[in-house]
Amino acid sequence: MAGIYLHIPFCIRKCGYCDFYSITDLSLKDKFVDSLISEISSRKSEFNEEQISTIYFGGGTPSLLTKQNLISILDTIYQYIPKKSVNELTIEVNPDDITPEFLEELIEIGFNRISIGTQSFNDDILKMMNRRHDAKQAMKTVQLAQKKGFKNISIDLIYGVPDMSLTDWESSLNIAVSMNVQHISAYHLTFEKGTPFYSKLKKGELKEISDSDSVDQYQKLLEILNRSGFNDYEISNFAQNGCESQHNSGYWSGKNYFGFGPGAHSYKNNIRRWNISNLLKYIKNVGSYKSYFSNETLSEEDRFNELIMLGLRTRKGVDMNFLNDNFNSEIWNFFKKEYEIQKIKSNVFIDNGFLKVCENKRFITDQIISDFFKI
Ligand code: SF4
């Protein structure tokens, strides 16, 4: 099983916290779609013998594409893989792009999962993040998607935002669970270099929230979502039974994936590849068959670190048998030593052959992961 990711690098305007590659000049949209199609065709031999079970349109803002754009891209992919092998076809959308007609078109094309960038249900916070929509519009989009027939809807939320109180967060969470969606992704805000938020942080115009507020907000997230029937199958991802994201689960379990478009990443047989994060250069170089990507072969340490990082963030945990069978004795011994240290701290435990983070230590998962890293 493997997945295909398509990066659509356009946004009407940039959100203050976001470091995903995208540009606000939409004039190159058609040229981009042609280049994307040409990249997919030129790399068909990488994926046409894989069993591709998920396709994910992310970005950027895939909802800025037209029905015809989406059909051309998918038709190209379906020339090389059987359409029926694709169980999950997801598109990310922004609430402000959505019309009833566009949702009908998405259903007609075959999208069976929609991920709506709601981010918050508090208008002041949305404004501060430079989002284009307000809370009402976000709620209306979710309801419209339900009305038009989407049965697998995911929404995004951000917490740990400066000046967001626990009550603000609780109120956004209560609205989120009242919407009867199947999946919620909730990420703690990080100040990424190069973003407007990062500059503001450096200038002292924004302040990070305290560690204890972060913990309180994370605990509130778990409390409300678990009580409402959402399973935290990954530290930032919550799903109703059977509605876990198959595409993201593929990333976390080390399956192959193929990313197309500027800035997209791919992974196959221990080789990681990433496309250039520059639309003009991407279009120019894909068209002329010049190199528009870099790649690296992961070392055994890299693979170990990646397995720990992705596995410990999930409820399923890290498969100990896989670790023992696939890594050399030096790494295995290093792992066993660190495991004993973490066990004494009551940070981790082994359940049915899988290493997991203890329930009351989930909020320090990143710290535990970095202790396990072999450098
Ligand atoms: S969060 Fe989404 S809409 Fe906002 S800049 Fe990033 S990709 Fe664009």
Side-chain angles (χ1 to χ4, degrees), residues 24-290:
T24 51
D25 173 5
L26 307 190
S27 62
L28 287 171
K29 215 167 65 165
D30 288 340
K31 279 209 170 102
F32 157 72
V33 172
D34 291 345
S35 301
L36 186 70
I37 286 173
S38 137
E39 186 194 358
I40 296 167
S41 297
S42 69
R43 293 177 57 198
K44 61 178 183 290
S45 60
E46 283 177 40
F47 66 89
N48 64 357
E49 288 186 356
E50 299 270 344
Q51 197 191 338
I52 302 289
S53 58
T54 63
I55 300 179
Y56 192 104
F57 283 75
T61 316
S63 46
L64 292 174
L65 294 184
T66 62
K67 175 185 179 187
Q68 198 44 53
N69 291 151
L70 293 165
I71 289 176
S72 320
I73 297 166
L74 283 169
D75 281 352
T76 307
I77 297 173
Y78 295 146
Q79 278 176 42
Y80 310 120
I81 60 151
K83 188 175 174 178
K84 61 176 182 339
S85 73
V86 179
N87 302 323
E88 187 185 87
L89 178 57
T90 305
I91 185 164
E92 287 179 357
V93 302
N94 266 1
D96 32 295
D97 300 321
I98 294 306
T99 61
E101 296 71 35
F102 187 61
L103 287 167
E104 281 163 16
E105 288 170 358
L106 295 179
I107 295 267
E108 198 187 311
I109 294 168
F111 286 95
N112 56 12
R113 186 167 184 275
I114 190 166
S115 171
I116 304 174
T118 50
Q119 314 306 352
S120 171
F121 291 105
N122 177 310
D123 283 342
D124 292 336
I125 292 169
L126 287 169
K127 210 164 156 199
M128 186 267 228
M129 293 196 289
N130 204 27
R131 297 290 300 175
R132 285 187 288 143
H133 60 89
D134 59 18
K136 211 165 149 198
Q137 210 172 0
M139 288 187 252
K140 254 177 80 180
T141 305
V142 174
Q143 286 157 352
L144 201 55
Q146 285 164 333
K147 194 168 155 210
K148 291 296 170 189
F150 276 99
K151 297 200 168 30
N152 194 351
I153 299 177
S154 179
I155 59 174
D156 291 343
L157 293 175
I158 299 182
Y159 64 103
V161 178
D163 297 330
M164 182 174 88
S165 68
L166 192 59
T167 318
D168 292 336
W169 178 226
E170 191 172 355
S171 132
S172 268
L173 285 169
N174 283 330
I175 295 175
V177 296
S178 74
M179 307 280 331
N180 292 321
V181 294
Q182 288 68 38
H183 189 278
I184 297 178
S185 297
Y187 289 94
H188 193 291
L189 177 75
T190 50
F191 289 84
E192 301 294 341
K193 247 186 174 161
T195 61
F197 270 23
Y198 184 82
S199 316
K200 287 187 179 175
L201 180 76
K202 291 289 144 198
K203 285 189 220 151
E205 293 168 17
L206 284 180
K207 212 169 145 253
E208 283 184 272
I209 69 163
S210 68
D211 287 351
S212 70
D213 284 348
S214 282
V215 172
D216 289 348
Q217 292 187 13
Y218 181 66
Q219 298 297 9
K220 190 55 76 184
L221 170 69
L222 284 183
E223 178 196 316
I224 295 184
L225 266 52
N226 289 346
R227 192 175 66 208
S228 311
F230 287 88
N231 172 29
D232 50 327
Y233 69 109
E234 198 262 356
I235 195 146
S236 304
N237 285 278
F238 301 75
Q240 296 284 352
N241 226 349
C243 297
E244 295 80 8
S245 160
Q246 294 176 37
H247 186 79
N248 289 342
S249 298
Y251 293 148
W252 302 326
S253 56
K255 296 200 173 121
N256 290 343
Y257 55 87
F258 304 90
F260 301 95
H265 285 236
S266 305
Y267 176 78
K268 184 179 180 181
N269 302 340
N270 300 333
I271 297 175
R272 196 172 14 217
R273 161 197 161 123
W274 56 99
N275 284 355
I276 190 167
S277 292
N278 179 314
L279 181 60
L280 274 177
K281 286 189 183 159
Y282 170 79
I283 289 173
K284 197 164 154 230
N285 293 338
V286 169
S288 62
Y289 298 103
K290 279 196 193 143

Side-chain angles (χ1 to χ4, degrees), residues 10-11 13-15 17-20 22 59-61 94 119 131-132:
F10 300 103
C11 293
R13 74 178 192 220
K14 293 290 288 184
C15 306
Y17 54 86
C18 178
D19 76 331
F20 291 128
S22 68
T61 316
N94 266 1
Q119 314 306 352
R131 297 290 300 175
R132 285 187 288 143

